[in-house]
Amino acid sequence: MAGLLDSFSHADIPAGAEALRPQVKAFLAEQMAGRPADARARSWSGFDADFSRAVAARGWLGLTLPREYGGGGADAFSRFVLVEEFLAAGAPVAAHWIGDRQSGPLLLHYGTEAQRRHYLPRMCAGEIFFCIGMSEPNAGSDLASVRTRAIGGEDGWTLNGQKIWTTYAHKSHYMIALVRTSGTSDDRQKGLSQFIIDLSLPGIDIRPIVDLTGDSHFNEVFFDDVHLPADALVGQEGAGWAQVNAELAFERSGPERIYSSIVLLDCWADHLRGVPDAHAGLAVLGRLLARMAVLREMSIAVTARLAAGESPVIEAALIKDIGTALEQEIPVAIAEALAAHPEVPVTDELLRTLAFVSQVAPAYSLRGGTREILRGMIARGLGLR
Amino acid sequence: MDMDDALLDPFKRLLERISTAQMVRASESAGEVASWVEIDGSGFVDALVPEAAGGVGLSLADVVPLLLAAGGALLPVALGETMVARALVARAGKALPVTTPVLLWPADQEGRPRSLIAPALAGATHAFVQQGKQASVRPLMQGDAAPDGFGIVAARLDPTAAPLLVVELPEDALFAWAAALTAATMAGAMARVLEMTMAHVNDRQQFGRPLGKFQAIQQQMSMLAEAVAMADVAARIGLTGRQDAPSRLDAAIAKTVADESATTVCAIAHAAHGAIGITREHDLSLYVRRLKRWQLSFGSAAGWSRIVGEARLVETGNSVDFIRAMRHD
Ligand SMILES: Cc1cc2nc3c(=O)[nH]c(=O)nc-3n(C[C@H](O)[C@H](O)[C@H](O)COP(=O)(O)OP(=O)(O)OC[C@H]3O[C@@H](n4cnc5c(N)ncnc54)[C@H](O)[C@@H]3O)c2cc1C
């Protein structure tokens, strides 16, 4: 336990990484001009290929990947600064998000040299987008029970099965999927492998699912005798479980688990500026910011661990759990504060932003591992399991 | 790391001698502690006094681990407060006229204490009182006072006595110090509550296995650890601003998060302990009693967070800009 607390000890963002911030701010000021708050609040789910290519043109996609693969060769702190500014501004990051954050690092770590050279430069150029095929209808939290199966043959693999909740499969070029290559679902973690799947191949059917706000980002994806070349396998056959867990560790650490509701928070702060005697509101605002400041400090500490080559899985789970709780509390607190004063006029923009965030906020503690699963990981870190 | 341990290890050994649960209990109603001479002799009280003024000249960041450890042991003497009072007086080019423990006593413009509940007397003889920009050393009332509702003897200023020494401080400096120090003490105490509760759920068996094997308890323990981690980081933010003194906003973050965490920590620790935690005999009560009392001391989450909210509205950038600026003032 003392160990757990020590791992959040103070770290500073180095000056070299901070130097990136003004450039990112200037870029965003230009790109984001005129986008209303309810569009900006979609940040994570805002798919804008032109924006992503503009980011790539600045050399900021794959910022931490080595230069020889088209990356920026920068450290985890630089990426922290970049992502923090993107999210604070509500930039539409969805097109490049998964590749930049998960698939790129995964291919770098586990891919063959040929795979790295084939995919990473195009990813860094904003030419190809990725999605993640982990979940299935009967494999949610219990990911080890995936049933989609690839059978090896003479000249590659034959893939059959179904993925679900695959974010932006319908607009991506590739999926990195976790599938079974041997045994049955009773074998659990054994016999799972990761594949990179070209989504233009015959036999793939992608059907968008409309979310509760009417937006469309996630999908069902069906595989019917899809032929995959031999080099579609990522990493080792049968090592998919370990690889996926390493991948989720990249996913969970970082500022993205603090700022999902920040556009709404700032929109509300602007509103409060015009309200006389907003005392109760100010206390609520301050409380949320106090917690955000502490989480940011913790997130920087974890970034320092990543930069030092460690894999702070438990710490990342802890930050994500606290962070998503804060992200979910923001719309609740703002709704209460606004509705208590019907006599104070509220802009349509603020109300739309509130309506959007209030409806999608429950997803914050589902995507990337549910609250209960994360708490189970923390309990393991505490030595209880 | 080594430097830290070189300081922290002897301090922990000192705490083991002078801050046992038995001594903590004895201090509650007695309002008096025997160990001050040993603490003062250890040199830790002068940790923040500049070397030129005969102190150790450590930075605030250096002493934060000591303050957390003192909180963890519920050290029943105003060590941190005296440390700060000595340092502030020394920075003003003077020396504290007393060698006994001194409490921090921020007051508003009218002289009313900026704390709903006064600090525990716990052997202190004087208070360092700030009103406006003036800070003075003033005697505390001694002698038979009834314990408050927490069973603890609260300090009272002696209204008749003249101040012993007057120095100037920035407006509300002592309020920020008192809040940040309280937050660090609370964070230390909460870390210890986590340890105690972990030990309990590993030890206590029901339905044929330790409580810690039940998923419901594991999830609660994770939340407890989260609250403790937040308080720990917040306490460090509170005390390690750029100026070697807590800024108002740093203190606000620290006390807000400490207060919020304490609510979670006390609730989960009690739930996990079951009925045994409700007994006076169990040490959990020592911790909960103080945490609840500290929540009433030197401003609450609601009060401090309003200061943060007001500061946010003055800032024109976004909330990330605000948080960053706040940490660099
Ligand atoms: C917006 C969004 C985008 C997503 N994008 C993707 C994506 O791109 N790719 C992808 O693969 N997946 C994606 N997902 C799916 C996501 O990973 C799953 O929703 C998540 O893993 C949980 O699975 P489930 O929804 O089936 O819930 P379930 O696993 O059925 O869980 C339901 C509830 O039961 C609890 N529960 C389950 N097991 C346990 C247990 N052992 N102990 C205690 N409680 C338990 C859960 O915590 C939860 O509260 C996305 C989800 C959302 C909401």
Side-chain angles (χ1 to χ4, degrees):
Chain A
M1 276 153 308
L4 191 58
L5 293 185
D6 284 345
S7 51
F8 296 113
S9 58
H10 175 78
D12 280 312
I13 299 180
E18 275 296 342
L20 187 61
R21 198 182 293 274
Q23 299 172 43
V24 180
K25 278 191 184 295
F27 170 81
L28 288 170
E30 200 177 291
Q31 290 281 335
M32 299 301 293
R35 299 196 197 219
D38 56 324
R40 288 186 284 117
R42 284 171 162 77
S43 191
W44 272 62
S45 60
F47 192 104
D48 182 340
D50 290 337
F51 175 83
S52 293
R53 284 189 201 107
V55 175
R58 298 298 306 262
W60 294 337
L61 280 197
L63 191 62
T64 57
L65 298 181
R67 287 183 186 279
E68 53 179 316
Y69 303 117
D75 64 8
F77 286 111
S78 304
R79 188 167 187 284
F80 182 98
V81 169
L82 182 78
V83 169
E84 175 168 61
E85 290 296 330
F86 276 13
L87 296 176
V93 294
H96 66 260
W97 194 237
I98 286 174
D100 185 71
R101 191 162 75 130
Q102 270 172 268
S103 314
L106 179 84
L107 288 168
L108 181 72
H109 280 90
Y110 297 108
T112 61
E113 186 58 22
Q115 284 172 330
R116 291 181 198 160
R117 298 215 173 270
H118 184 67
Y119 296 106
L120 294 181
R122 287 190 295 150
M123 189 207 97
C124 295
E127 288 167 11
I128 52 172
F129 303 132
F130 289 79
C131 61
I132 298 285
M134 294 189 189
S135 306
E136 296 183 5
N138 290 311
S141 300
D142 183 13
L143 191 57
S145 66
V146 296
R147 286 184 199 161
T148 298
R149 177 180 290 273
I151 296 174
E154 295 281 284
D155 59 344
W157 304 83
T158 305
L159 182 68
N160 279 290
Q162 181 192 353
K163 292 291 172 185
I164 195 169
W165 315 124
T166 323
T167 299
Y168 284 116
H170 60 313
K171 295 190 179 183
S172 297
H173 305 87
Y174 295 96
M175 173 194 287
I176 294 193
L178 180 71
V179 309
R180 186 157 287 290
T181 43
S182 66
T184 69
S185 43
D186 291 339
D187 291 306
R188 312 284 304 155
Q189 286 89 338
K190 282 183 279 176
L192 298 176
S193 305
Q194 281 188 298
F195 285 88
I196 182 160
I197 301 168
D198 179 344
L199 292 174
S200 68
L201 289 173
I204 299 180
D205 184 14
I206 300 174
R207 298 183 198 160
I209 303 170
V210 179
D211 87 0
L212 72 191
T213 67
D215 285 359
S216 186
H217 42 83
F218 46 27
N219 298 268
E220 286 179 291
V221 182
F222 298 88
F223 305 106
D224 182 12
D225 279 338
V226 178
H227 178 76
L228 300 177
D231 64 0
L233 179 72
V234 177
Q236 284 188 349
E237 187 192 338
W241 184 255
Q243 293 175 199
V244 154
N245 280 295
E247 181 180 352
L248 286 172
F250 309 135
E251 195 266 358
R252 287 188 184 124
S253 36
E256 42 266 66
R257 299 310 187 169
I258 313 175
Y259 295 139
S260 297
S261 302
I262 197 169
V263 171
L264 171 63
L265 187 70
D266 283 343
C267 196
W268 181 53
D270 287 341
H271 165 84
L272 282 177
R273 248 181 228 121
V275 178
D277 309 325
H279 301 318
L282 291 177
V284 173
L285 176 65
R287 229 176 232 261
L288 298 168
L289 286 167
R291 238 181 292 156
M292 195 180 276
V294 173
L295 275 160
R296 179 175 189 268
E297 186 88 357
M298 293 168 96
S299 189
I300 295 172
V302 165
T303 302
R305 304 241 138 185
L306 282 178
E310 296 170 37
S311 180
V313 185
I314 305 295
E315 291 83 350
L318 188 136
I319 293 177
K320 185 185 164 190
D321 189 35
I322 310 173
T324 52
L326 170 65
E327 292 176 334
Q328 290 175 338
E329 187 175 331
I330 288 172
V332 174
I334 293 176
E336 271 192 356
L338 288 176
H341 293 283
E343 73 284 2
V344 179
V346 177
T347 63
D348 186 50
E349 188 182 16
L350 173 53
L351 275 182
R352 282 179 176 285
T353 310
L354 174 63
F356 172 76
V357 177
S358 300
Q359 291 177 84
V360 298
Y364 300 163
S365 60
L366 297 174
R367 60 187 186 188
T370 69
R371 166 163 297 145
E372 290 72 24
I373 295 301
L374 294 175
R375 287 183 184 164
M377 293 171 62
I378 300 166
R380 181 168 291 130
L382 290 171
L384 291 173
R385 309 174 50 199
Chain B
M1 209 59 178
D2 289 348
M3 162 73 186
D4 280 3
D5 292 344
L7 203 60
L8 194 53
D9 288 346
F11 186 68
K12 282 186 172 162
R13 282 197 295 276
L14 177 68
L15 288 176
E16 278 163 21
R17 281 201 306 282
I18 63 171
S19 194
T20 62
Q22 205 183 359
M23 290 165 163
V24 173
R25 277 175 198 286
S27 74
E28 294 193 334
S29 48
E32 205 172 292
V33 281
S35 52
W36 181 253
V37 174
E38 180 167 6
I39 299 176
D40 200 16
S42 71
F44 287 113
V45 195
D46 294 312
L48 291 172
V49 173
E51 272 179 289
V56 190
L58 295 181
S59 74
L60 247 181
D62 291 330
V63 302
V64 169
L66 305 185
L67 299 173
L68 290 165
L74 298 181
L75 177 63
V77 207
L79 168 64
E81 292 86 335
T82 312
M83 210 187 251
V84 169
R86 284 191 189 176
L88 294 179
V89 170
R91 285 183 201 172
K94 301 193 178 167
L96 213 56
V98 293
T99 55
T100 42
V102 174
L103 300 173
L104 302 187
W105 203 278
D108 64 13
Q109 293 294 348
E110 283 78 44
R112 291 172 302 210
R114 303 200 65 162
S115 188
L116 178 67
I117 198 160
L121 182 58
T125 58
H126 293 74
F128 191 39
V129 184
Q130 178 171 18
Q131 184 175 353
K133 287 192 168 153
Q134 293 224 320
S136 57
V137 177
R138 297 180 43 193
L140 293 167
M141 310 263 278
Q142 300 293 332
D144 46 11
D148 65 14
F150 292 99
I152 288 173
V153 173
R156 293 165 299 153
L157 277 187
D158 183 343
T160 58
L164 302 186
L165 172 99
V166 180
V167 296
E168 200 156 285
L169 289 178
E171 197 91 45
D172 271 341
L174 216 53
F175 188 31
W177 271 111
L181 211 56
T182 304
T185 312
M186 292 173 78
M190 287 189 263
R192 179 73 193 103
V193 172
L194 173 60
E195 281 175 15
M196 288 170 65
T197 312
M198 280 292 298
H200 181 76
V201 301
N202 279 325
D203 182 49
R204 164 89 173 156
Q205 305 232 352
Q206 285 294 285
F207 300 98
R209 38 183 183 149
L211 298 178
K213 292 292 167 204
F214 293 101
Q215 194 191 38
I217 293 291
Q218 290 172 354
Q219 301 261 316
Q220 295 284 312
M221 293 305 294
S222 299
M223 292 170 70
L224 175 52
E226 289 172 0
V228 172
M230 287 285 281
D232 183 81
V233 173
R236 291 170 200 273
I237 288 177
L239 285 168
T240 53
R242 265 202 190 159
Q243 313 289 333
D244 224 24
S247 75
R248 232 161 56 106
L249 289 179
D250 287 342
I253 291 175
K255 186 64 165 64
T256 296
V257 172
D259 281 357
E260 288 188 339
S261 287
T263 300
T264 305
V265 165
C266 293
I268 296 178
H270 264 308
H273 274 87
I276 193 77
I278 303 294
T279 61
R280 186 154 187 95
E281 192 188 349
H282 197 283
D283 287 348
L284 179 63
S285 70
L286 295 177
Y287 284 82
V288 172
R289 184 144 66 237
R290 277 170 183 71
L291 285 167
K292 296 284 174 194
R293 202 173 182 281
W294 284 321
Q295 284 182 312
L296 302 177
S297 306
F298 304 118
S300 66
W304 278 110
S305 53
R306 186 168 142 196
I307 291 172
V308 179
E310 278 163 5
R312 169 68 185 88
L313 292 199
V314 175
E315 180 81 29
T316 50
N318 60 41
S319 288
V320 170
D321 296 331
F322 169 71
I323 290 169
R324 289 177 43 239
M326 181 162 79
R327 290 295 288 130
H328 295 286
D329 278 348

